[in-house]
Amino acid sequence: MQLFDVLGKRWTMRVLWELRGGRLSFRELRMRCENISPTVLNQRIKSLREMDIVDQCKTGYGLTNWGVELGEQLIALDIWAERWSHRK
Amino acid sequence: MQLFDVLGKRWTMRVLWELRGGRLSFRELRMRCENISPTVLNQRIKSLREMDIVDQCKTGYGLTNWGVELGEQLIALDIWAERWSHRK
DNA sequence: GATTATCGCTACATAAACTGTAGCATTAAT
DNA sequence: ATTAATGCTACAGTTTATGTAGCGATAATC
C-alpha cells in the first residue's frame, strides 16, 4: 500500500508530527527533526507533496487538509502508544 | 517516541499487517512480506517481541494483546488511506 | 533408523539509503 | 552595497537492507 510504504520510511511520520504545530520553514523543520539531513528531508517533502499531504507557500511548509486528517490518525496512534508505554 | 521509531522502520508495519490474519511461521511471514530478507525480518521480530507486540510459540509468530490493539490502529489508518487514495 | 523435508535463523558480499558538512543561488532585511 | 537568511544540492563516508547460501534442529516418510 502506497501510504504505508511512505509512512514506513525513516523520518516521514516525524515530519508530519512536527508540521501539526503549524507552518515551518525548511530549516526550522530540519532542526525540529533532530537536524535530519537536508537531502532526506527534501525527499520526504517531495513524496508528501506529491501525495497532497504537505504543501508549500511563502510562509513555509504545512499540512494540507488531507495532511491534517492524517495527522489526526497519528494522534490516535500516539494516544494508544501512551497507554502502551505504561504497560507492566 | 519509541513506537514511531520502530514503526518508521522499513517492513515493521507490513509485518504487523500480515500477522493480523493469524499466526505465521517465519518462512510464511517472509513470503507474505515480498520475501523480505531473513536478516531484517529477524531484527523486526526481535524489536516487536521486546515491545510485547509480537510473541512466538510452537505454532509460529503472532500478535500479543497489545499487538492486536496496535493492529486495530493500523486498520483505522488503512480505512483512512482508502478514502485518501480516491482523492481527485 | 536412515532419509528426506521443513523449520528458524545466521553469514556474508553487494547494493541502497541515510548522514554530515560545505556551499551555491535567491530573496529579504540593513 | 552588504549582510543575513532562505531553500536546496553535492558528495564522501557510514549505516542499513538485500539476496543467496547454508547450518543445525525437529518432523514426517520409507
Side-chain angles (χ1 to χ4, degrees), chain A residues 42-53:
Chain A
N42 209 32
Q43 289 169 358
R44 296 298 174 270
I45 287 173
K46 187 177 175 223
S47 296
L48 291 170
R49 286 182 67 186
E50 288 170 357
M51 296 164 80
D52 295 325
I53 286 171

Side-chain angles (χ1 to χ4, degrees), chain B residues 13 20-21 23 48:
Chain B
M13 291 198 284
R20 284 173 328 141
R23 292 202 167 267
L48 291 169

